Amino acid sequence: MRIAATVAEMRAVRRDMTGDVGFVPTLGALHEGHLSLVRAAREQNQHTVASIFVNPTQFGDPDDFASYPRDPERDLALLRDEGVDIVFLPESAEIYPADASTFVEVEHITDTLEGEHRPGHFRGVATVVTKLFQIVRPQRAYFGRKDAQQLAVIRRLVRDLHFDIEIVAVPTVREPDGLAMSSRNALLSVSDRQAALVLSRALRRAEELFAAGERDGETLRSAMRGIIAAEPQAQVDYVSVADTETLRELARVEHAALASLAVRIGGVRLIDNVELKSE
Ligand code: AMP
């Protein structure tokens, strides 16, 4: 496995690659969710490139950026075991020159949910993903459904800017008790870890109601809010039942919806989602 620390190095190794390249961008602090993206990339491409970069421009809160878990040595060992060919591990100054003045903005679908609650977040994501796509030049790039709005934003970015890259969506990997895997889970205390189960429990409730025929958006949202309200350590950022394309709240679900939520547990902000879909 090669480690490229600079754009020039990454470009040099990329030039020598023949055949399809699958790319997995990450913030590091890797877990089984990330590794399932890597495995999908390995299956579908001759070469696999992963990146580890805690992108400062997608963090609004400097404390959140500072406390984000980092463990590059462990990450590299995991990626080596998975058979990744190249890891792009740049310093911030490599990606953002001091006088960087070009940013990528995806409009409209970033107005709601994460975009609404984390102003500037998707501008940072779209900018760094554009840069990484330019540097790595993959045929395919792998993104988790865990970050459903991010996936929608990337698909829109690729379409609108004519990137010749196939975006592959990978299902959310969960702990046996239902908690969606996340690098931020490492920041939870033992009791917060237990309280964090409200996210998947609330989504399961929405799934059950939907399966039983409930189609009223507010009834579904209110059932999820009720479950979270019963957990004293949990504080809701948003609870949503939205159109899968526009990500706008639905009064009524016709065939499908994205049920999603963001909840703070002991200072750690967690997100999760499921797709509600009629048979
Ligand atoms: P992150 O390091 O959090 O930016 O995540 C990097 C990629 O891994 C993104 O495409 C995420 O959607 C994906 N990912 C994170 N957690 C999970 C999970 N539990 N299951 C599937 N994919 C995930």
Side-chain angles (χ1 to χ4, degrees), residues 24-28 30-31 33-34 36-37 58 68 142-147 150 170-174 180-183:
V24 180
T26 82
L27 302 181
L30 302 182
H31 51 66
H34 298 111
S36 78
L37 270 59
Q58 71 187 70
Y68 196 82
Y142 295 77
F143 290 86
R145 291 197 186 277
K146 157 89 184 348
D147 299 278
Q150 172 172 277
V170 178
T172 300
V173 177
R174 296 178 181 279
M181 291 203 182
S182 164
S183 304

mmCIF file of all heavy atoms in Angstrom, residues 24-28 30-31 33-34 36-37 58 68 142-147 150 170-174 180-183, ligand 1:
data_model
loop_
_atom_site.group_PDB
_atom_site.id
_atom_site.type_symbol
_atom_site.label_atom_id
_atom_site.label_comp_id
_atom_site.label_asym_id
_atom_site.label_seq_id
_atom_site.Cartn_x
_atom_site.Cartn_y
_atom_site.Cartn_z
ATOM 1 N N VAL A 24 -12.632 5.978 -2.201
ATOM 2 C CA VAL A 24 -13.396 6.078 -0.943
ATOM 3 C C VAL A 24 -12.868 7.250 -0.120
ATOM 4 O O VAL A 24 -11.840 7.134 0.548
ATOM 5 C CB VAL A 24 -13.274 4.765 -0.121
ATOM 6 C CG1 VAL A 24 -14.077 4.874 1.176
ATOM 7 C CG2 VAL A 24 -13.710 3.558 -0.933
ATOM 8 N N PRO A 25 -13.550 8.407 -0.178
ATOM 9 C CA PRO A 25 -13.109 9.537 0.653
ATOM 10 C C PRO A 25 -13.623 9.397 2.094
ATOM 11 O O PRO A 25 -14.798 9.061 2.299
ATOM 12 C CB PRO A 25 -13.758 10.764 -0.016
ATOM 13 C CG PRO A 25 -14.771 10.249 -0.978
ATOM 14 C CD PRO A 25 -14.684 8.756 -1.056
ATOM 15 N N THR A 26 -12.755 9.674 3.063
ATOM 16 C CA THR A 26 -13.166 9.588 4.476
ATOM 17 C C THR A 26 -12.503 10.698 5.291
ATOM 18 O O THR A 26 -11.539 11.323 4.844
ATOM 19 C CB THR A 26 -12.735 8.251 5.144
ATOM 20 O OG1 THR A 26 -11.360 8.349 5.555
ATOM 21 C CG2 THR A 26 -12.902 7.057 4.223
ATOM 22 N N LEU A 27 -13.055 10.859 6.514
ATOM 23 C CA LEU A 27 -12.433 11.761 7.483
ATOM 24 C C LEU A 27 -11.538 10.971 8.437
ATOM 25 O O LEU A 27 -11.030 11.518 9.412
ATOM 26 C CB LEU A 27 -13.506 12.485 8.307
ATOM 27 C CG LEU A 27 -14.548 13.337 7.580
ATOM 28 C CD1 LEU A 27 -15.492 13.982 8.586
ATOM 29 C CD2 LEU A 27 -13.886 14.415 6.738
ATOM 30 N N GLY A 28 -11.389 9.661 8.209
ATOM 31 C CA GLY A 28 -10.576 8.839 9.102
ATOM 32 C C GLY A 28 -11.354 8.378 10.318
ATOM 33 O O GLY A 28 -12.583 8.453 10.335
ATOM 34 N N LEU A 30 -11.578 5.218 11.229
ATOM 35 C CA LEU A 30 -12.349 4.275 10.413
ATOM 36 C C LEU A 30 -13.046 3.204 11.246
ATOM 37 O O LEU A 30 -12.567 2.807 12.305
ATOM 38 C CB LEU A 30 -11.421 3.612 9.394
ATOM 39 C CG LEU A 30 -10.687 4.575 8.459
ATOM 40 C CD1 LEU A 30 -9.838 3.797 7.461
ATOM 41 C CD2 LEU A 30 -11.664 5.491 7.720
ATOM 42 N N HIS A 31 -14.181 2.745 10.721
ATOM 43 C CA HIS A 31 -14.967 1.670 11.335
ATOM 44 C C HIS A 31 -15.522 0.798 10.207
ATOM 45 O O HIS A 31 -15.225 1.048 9.028
ATOM 46 C CB HIS A 31 -16.067 2.259 12.223
ATOM 47 C CG HIS A 31 -16.906 3.305 11.526
ATOM 48 N ND1 HIS A 31 -17.738 3.012 10.467
ATOM 49 C CD2 HIS A 31 -16.997 4.653 11.710
ATOM 50 C CE1 HIS A 31 -18.328 4.111 10.055
ATOM 51 N NE2 HIS A 31 -17.887 5.138 10.781
ATOM 52 N N GLY A 33 -18.297 0.684 8.775
ATOM 53 C CA GLY A 33 -19.039 1.410 7.734
ATOM 54 C C GLY A 33 -18.100 1.819 6.615
ATOM 55 O O GLY A 33 -18.369 1.568 5.432
ATOM 56 N N HIS A 34 -16.971 2.429 6.991
ATOM 57 C CA HIS A 34 -15.975 2.820 5.983
ATOM 58 C C HIS A 34 -15.457 1.587 5.244
ATOM 59 O O HIS A 34 -15.267 1.615 4.021
ATOM 60 C CB HIS A 34 -14.780 3.500 6.649
ATOM 61 C CG HIS A 34 -15.100 4.770 7.375
ATOM 62 N ND1 HIS A 34 -15.048 4.884 8.732
ATOM 63 C CD2 HIS A 34 -15.476 5.993 6.915
ATOM 64 C CE1 HIS A 34 -15.351 6.124 9.099
ATOM 65 N NE2 HIS A 34 -15.625 6.819 8.016
ATOM 66 N N SER A 36 -16.887 -1.189 4.610
ATOM 67 C CA SER A 36 -17.823 -1.751 3.631
ATOM 68 C C SER A 36 -17.757 -0.969 2.315
ATOM 69 O O SER A 36 -17.942 -1.533 1.235
ATOM 70 C CB SER A 36 -19.246 -1.827 4.191
ATOM 71 O OG SER A 36 -19.853 -0.574 4.162
ATOM 72 N N LEU A 37 -17.464 0.332 2.390
ATOM 73 C CA LEU A 37 -17.252 1.124 1.169
ATOM 74 C C LEU A 37 -15.996 0.631 0.444
ATOM 75 O O LEU A 37 -15.986 0.471 -0.780
ATOM 76 C CB LEU A 37 -17.080 2.610 1.512
ATOM 77 C CG LEU A 37 -18.314 3.518 1.578
ATOM 78 C CD1 LEU A 37 -19.330 3.060 2.602
ATOM 79 C CD2 LEU A 37 -17.933 4.958 1.832
ATOM 80 N N GLN A 58 -15.624 21.879 6.278
ATOM 81 C CA GLN A 58 -16.969 21.349 6.473
ATOM 82 C C GLN A 58 -17.388 21.355 7.944
ATOM 83 O O GLN A 58 -18.485 20.921 8.282
ATOM 84 C CB GLN A 58 -17.114 19.957 5.863
ATOM 85 C CG GLN A 58 -16.381 18.840 6.571
ATOM 86 C CD GLN A 58 -16.458 17.548 5.790
ATOM 87 O OE1 GLN A 58 -15.852 17.402 4.730
ATOM 88 N NE2 GLN A 58 -17.211 16.587 6.305
ATOM 89 N N TYR A 68 -12.692 16.106 16.796
ATOM 90 C CA TYR A 68 -13.031 14.990 15.899
ATOM 91 C C TYR A 68 -11.975 13.893 16.075
ATOM 92 O O TYR A 68 -10.773 14.178 16.090
ATOM 93 C CB TYR A 68 -13.083 15.468 14.437
ATOM 94 C CG TYR A 68 -13.795 14.462 13.567
ATOM 95 C CD1 TYR A 68 -15.184 14.441 13.503
ATOM 96 C CD2 TYR A 68 -13.081 13.499 12.864
ATOM 97 C CE1 TYR A 68 -15.843 13.485 12.746
ATOM 98 C CE2 TYR A 68 -13.742 12.539 12.102
ATOM 99 C CZ TYR A 68 -15.123 12.549 12.049
ATOM 100 O OH TYR A 68 -15.773 11.593 11.310
ATOM 101 N N TYR A 142 -17.377 6.004 -3.789
ATOM 102 C CA TYR A 142 -18.271 5.274 -2.887
ATOM 103 C C TYR A 142 -18.660 6.147 -1.703
ATOM 104 O O TYR A 142 -17.792 6.698 -1.022
ATOM 105 C CB TYR A 142 -17.567 3.976 -2.434
ATOM 106 C CG TYR A 142 -17.352 3.075 -3.621
ATOM 107 C CD1 TYR A 142 -16.316 3.332 -4.524
ATOM 108 C CD2 TYR A 142 -18.238 2.049 -3.906
ATOM 109 C CE1 TYR A 142 -16.158 2.565 -5.669
ATOM 110 C CE2 TYR A 142 -18.084 1.266 -5.041
ATOM 111 C CZ TYR A 142 -17.047 1.539 -5.921
ATOM 112 O OH TYR A 142 -16.900 0.787 -7.061
ATOM 113 N N PHE A 143 -19.988 6.242 -1.467
ATOM 114 C CA PHE A 143 -20.507 7.064 -0.372
ATOM 115 C C PHE A 143 -21.563 6.272 0.394
ATOM 116 O O PHE A 143 -22.313 5.488 -0.203
ATOM 117 C CB PHE A 143 -21.117 8.363 -0.918
ATOM 118 C CG PHE A 143 -20.086 9.307 -1.460
ATOM 119 C CD1 PHE A 143 -19.651 9.191 -2.784
ATOM 120 C CD2 PHE A 143 -19.504 10.279 -0.649
ATOM 121 C CE1 PHE A 143 -18.666 10.046 -3.284
ATOM 122 C CE2 PHE A 143 -18.523 11.132 -1.151
ATOM 123 C CZ PHE A 143 -18.104 11.012 -2.468
ATOM 124 N N GLY A 144 -21.621 6.492 1.715
ATOM 125 C CA GLY A 144 -22.557 5.758 2.562
ATOM 126 C C GLY A 144 -23.929 6.397 2.597
ATOM 127 O O GLY A 144 -24.058 7.622 2.592
ATOM 128 N N ARG A 145 -24.956 5.552 2.658
ATOM 129 C CA ARG A 145 -26.332 6.057 2.816
ATOM 130 C C ARG A 145 -26.543 6.658 4.197
ATOM 131 O O ARG A 145 -27.511 7.379 4.422
ATOM 132 C CB ARG A 145 -27.346 4.926 2.581
ATOM 133 C CG ARG A 145 -27.394 4.472 1.135
ATOM 134 C CD ARG A 145 -28.665 3.681 0.860
ATOM 135 N NE ARG A 145 -28.641 3.126 -0.483
ATOM 136 C CZ ARG A 145 -28.997 3.806 -1.572
ATOM 137 N NH1 ARG A 145 -29.399 5.055 -1.470
ATOM 138 N NH2 ARG A 145 -28.940 3.239 -2.763
ATOM 139 N N LYS A 146 -25.666 6.346 5.139
ATOM 140 C CA LYS A 146 -25.728 6.944 6.486
ATOM 141 C C LYS A 146 -25.810 8.474 6.380
ATOM 142 O O LYS A 146 -26.498 9.117 7.172
ATOM 143 C CB LYS A 146 -24.481 6.508 7.250
ATOM 144 C CG LYS A 146 -24.054 7.382 8.385
ATOM 145 C CD LYS A 146 -24.717 6.965 9.648
ATOM 146 C CE LYS A 146 -24.419 7.846 10.839
ATOM 147 N NZ LYS A 146 -23.371 8.804 10.731
ATOM 148 N N ASP A 147 -25.095 9.040 5.406
ATOM 149 C CA ASP A 147 -25.132 10.480 5.171
ATOM 150 C C ASP A 147 -25.964 10.726 3.909
ATOM 151 O O ASP A 147 -25.427 11.018 2.840
ATOM 152 C CB ASP A 147 -23.706 11.016 5.025
ATOM 153 C CG ASP A 147 -22.892 10.769 6.276
ATOM 154 O OD1 ASP A 147 -23.013 11.549 7.222
ATOM 155 O OD2 ASP A 147 -22.159 9.758 6.324
ATOM 156 N N GLN A 150 -25.772 14.104 2.123
ATOM 157 C CA GLN A 150 -24.455 14.238 1.490
ATOM 158 C C GLN A 150 -24.422 13.476 0.156
ATOM 159 O O GLN A 150 -23.931 13.985 -0.858
ATOM 160 C CB GLN A 150 -23.370 13.698 2.421
ATOM 161 C CG GLN A 150 -21.999 13.611 1.764
ATOM 162 C CD GLN A 150 -20.926 13.265 2.775
ATOM 163 O OE1 GLN A 150 -20.419 14.132 3.455
ATOM 164 N NE2 GLN A 150 -20.578 11.989 2.859
ATOM 165 N N VAL A 170 -23.695 2.988 -0.677
ATOM 166 C CA VAL A 170 -23.493 1.765 0.125
ATOM 167 C C VAL A 170 -24.409 1.834 1.359
ATOM 168 O O VAL A 170 -24.486 2.876 2.011
ATOM 169 C CB VAL A 170 -21.997 1.658 0.532
ATOM 170 C CG1 VAL A 170 -21.760 0.441 1.409
ATOM 171 C CG2 VAL A 170 -21.108 1.606 -0.714
ATOM 172 N N PRO A 171 -25.113 0.711 1.669
ATOM 173 C CA PRO A 171 -26.048 0.718 2.811
ATOM 174 C C PRO A 171 -25.364 1.036 4.141
ATOM 175 O O PRO A 171 -24.178 0.786 4.314
ATOM 176 C CB PRO A 171 -26.599 -0.714 2.841
ATOM 177 C CG PRO A 171 -26.317 -1.278 1.494
ATOM 178 C CD PRO A 171 -25.126 -0.571 0.952
ATOM 179 N N THR A 172 -26.146 1.570 5.063
ATOM 180 C CA THR A 172 -25.641 1.916 6.399
ATOM 181 C C THR A 172 -25.279 0.657 7.183
ATOM 182 O O THR A 172 -26.086 -0.268 7.275
ATOM 183 C CB THR A 172 -26.724 2.705 7.170
ATOM 184 O OG1 THR A 172 -27.019 3.882 6.424
ATOM 185 C CG2 THR A 172 -26.255 3.078 8.573
ATOM 186 N N VAL A 173 -24.084 0.651 7.743
ATOM 187 C CA VAL A 173 -23.658 -0.462 8.599
ATOM 188 C C VAL A 173 -23.969 -0.083 10.048
ATOM 189 O O VAL A 173 -23.662 1.038 10.475
ATOM 190 C CB VAL A 173 -22.154 -0.749 8.423
ATOM 191 C CG1 VAL A 173 -21.695 -1.860 9.365
ATOM 192 C CG2 VAL A 173 -21.848 -1.106 6.979
ATOM 193 N N ARG A 174 -24.593 -1.011 10.780
ATOM 194 C CA ARG A 174 -25.020 -0.748 12.157
ATOM 195 C C ARG A 174 -24.347 -1.687 13.145
ATOM 196 O O ARG A 174 -23.932 -2.785 12.773
ATOM 197 C CB ARG A 174 -26.549 -0.930 12.272
ATOM 198 C CG ARG A 174 -27.300 0.056 11.440
ATOM 199 C CD ARG A 174 -28.812 -0.134 11.488
ATOM 200 N NE ARG A 174 -29.394 0.888 10.615
ATOM 201 C CZ ARG A 174 -29.579 2.145 10.981
ATOM 202 N NH1 ARG A 174 -29.300 2.526 12.225
ATOM 203 N NH2 ARG A 174 -30.050 3.028 10.127
ATOM 204 N N ALA A 180 -26.186 3.228 14.309
ATOM 205 C CA ALA A 180 -25.436 3.375 13.057
ATOM 206 C C ALA A 180 -23.973 3.658 13.395
ATOM 207 O O ALA A 180 -23.683 4.482 14.271
ATOM 208 C CB ALA A 180 -26.016 4.527 12.241
ATOM 209 N N MET A 181 -23.074 2.958 12.725
ATOM 210 C CA MET A 181 -21.652 3.193 12.999
ATOM 211 C C MET A 181 -21.272 4.607 12.583
ATOM 212 O O MET A 181 -21.720 5.102 11.551
ATOM 213 C CB MET A 181 -20.806 2.178 12.262
ATOM 214 C CG MET A 181 -20.986 0.804 12.838
ATOM 215 S SD MET A 181 -19.590 -0.219 12.456
ATOM 216 C CE MET A 181 -20.163 -1.746 13.204
ATOM 217 N N SER A 182 -20.455 5.245 13.416
ATOM 218 C CA SER A 182 -20.007 6.600 13.159
ATOM 219 C C SER A 182 -18.710 6.826 13.919
ATOM 220 O O SER A 182 -18.550 6.318 15.034
ATOM 221 C CB SER A 182 -21.068 7.588 13.657
ATOM 222 O OG SER A 182 -20.512 8.885 13.753
ATOM 223 N N SER A 183 -17.820 7.601 13.321
ATOM 224 C CA SER A 183 -16.577 7.933 14.023
ATOM 225 C C SER A 183 -16.885 8.661 15.327
ATOM 226 O O SER A 183 -16.159 8.544 16.309
ATOM 227 C CB SER A 183 -15.691 8.805 13.141
ATOM 228 O OG SER A 183 -15.442 8.164 11.913
HETATM 229 P P1 AMP B 1 -16.850 10.121 7.136
HETATM 230 O O1 AMP B 1 -15.470 9.633 7.464
HETATM 231 O O2 AMP B 1 -17.754 10.194 8.313
HETATM 232 O O3 AMP B 1 -16.856 11.349 6.272
HETATM 233 O O4 AMP B 1 -17.478 8.991 6.214
HETATM 234 C C1 AMP B 1 -16.857 8.614 5.015
HETATM 235 C C2 AMP B 1 -17.817 7.816 4.202
HETATM 236 O O5 AMP B 1 -18.236 6.663 4.951
HETATM 237 C C3 AMP B 1 -19.093 8.594 3.858
HETATM 238 O O6 AMP B 1 -19.472 8.281 2.533
HETATM 239 C C4 AMP B 1 -20.070 8.066 4.858
HETATM 240 O O7 AMP B 1 -21.419 8.135 4.415
HETATM 241 C C5 AMP B 1 -19.639 6.617 4.981
HETATM 242 N N1 AMP B 1 -20.112 6.037 6.241
HETATM 243 C C6 AMP B 1 -19.955 6.544 7.487
HETATM 244 N N2 AMP B 1 -20.572 5.780 8.393
HETATM 245 C C7 AMP B 1 -21.158 4.764 7.703
HETATM 246 C C8 AMP B 1 -21.956 3.636 8.066
HETATM 247 N N3 AMP B 1 -22.294 3.386 9.327
HETATM 248 N N4 AMP B 1 -22.376 2.806 7.084
HETATM 249 C C9 AMP B 1 -22.061 3.049 5.787
HETATM 250 N N5 AMP B 1 -21.294 4.086 5.380
HETATM 251 C C10 AMP B 1 -20.865 4.935 6.318
#
